Amino acid sequence: MTPNPIGSKVEQLAQALAERIVPLIVDAIDVDALIDRVDVEKMIERVDVEKIIERVDVEKIIDRVDVQKIIDRVDVQKIIERVDVNAIVDQVDIDALVEHTELGSIIARSTTGVVTEILDVIRAQGVGLDDFILRWGNRLIGRGKRAATWPDGPPLLVGPKAVTP
Amino acid sequence: MTTVPVPSAELTVGRQGHYAGAVSRLVAFGADVGAAWGAYAVGVALINLAVKLVTGHSYNLSNHQILALVTLSVWEFVYFSYQWAVSGKTLGMAIFGLQVVTKEGGPISGRQAFIRTIALGLCLLTLGIAFLGIVFQRERRALNDFMAGTAVVYDWDARAARLRWIARKEGPLRRGPEHTPPAA
């Protein structure tokens, strides 16, 4: 079967026409304006992200990632320098830590002796009695409030006392 | 199990470096007087024994009251001034967690220890009036502290004491197996 010569010519003409017209149309379109008119939020809402995630083979991605290479590129020293260790330690409730973990029993076993225990009790009781005598002694002579603003200790050992209004 | 409750953090943690109060100081002083007298009595007994062994005659210092008083005074002076000069604390102060520091909070010099000891003797002659500053003065300083330019502060490791306390009273081993956390 021989090809139709008229059909072939028309096809060539249409091809040539398209090649000239399409660039003209594309040039004439303001793509930015077109994009501005697209409601991206609406498009995202219509996308089923769950379905996409289900189709992703995470294991395969992980297998392709060179974790060691990433770790090697991390400057740990720089990260440590930026971390405020004191702020972290301040947030740790040491009392609760000792109370609720084996750390407490380790401390108790390693440092507790009968003498230490007795001394701890006597010293703490002494501090309590010191405060009692100071408070009531000054209250009796009408200086209770003023005594509360007295410094806690020598300037080299304790900071200035915060005065509450 | 003891019924002594865990003292509040206010009484323990953070008290290091604070001015010491009257009761702690009085009890520490009492312990020092006891220790100094005990050491003096042992020393006198040893000297008596040595004299008896060498000469064969018994010699009792208490028969010579003036000499005994002078010896005791010198010994007390050495006992307090030497220990303050070396570490800022006597045996009694170490037991009760106290330390003598300068009024600014630094370590005291030998000269300050010397003056403080002399002044302590003078203060004892006032029958306690010179010590009222410990209760009524803003830096809890007695007259001998003013004369020597010193102050007395708490020096015991109160934070460690509190942790020991909590560990003893509240730790998992003390609370019994029903309170121990399950193994991972």
Side-chain angles (χ1 to χ4, degrees), chain B residues 101-126:
Chain B
V101 293
T102 62
K103 62 181 177 182
E104 291 82 19
I108 65 166
S109 64
R111 184 173 166 274
Q112 283 176 302
F114 180 86
I115 295 170
R116 195 170 196 276
T117 312
I118 299 280
L120 176 66
L122 296 174
C123 288
L124 289 172
L125 296 177
T126 66

Side-chain angles (χ1 to χ4, degrees), chain A residues 30-49:
Chain A
D30 185 354
V31 183
D32 288 332
L34 200 66
I35 289 169
D36 286 345
R37 290 176 67 180
V38 174
D39 189 348
V40 182
E41 284 297 324
K42 216 168 189 175
M43 278 176 70
I44 290 170
E45 275 172 20
R46 290 175 68 180
V47 174
D48 189 350
V49 182

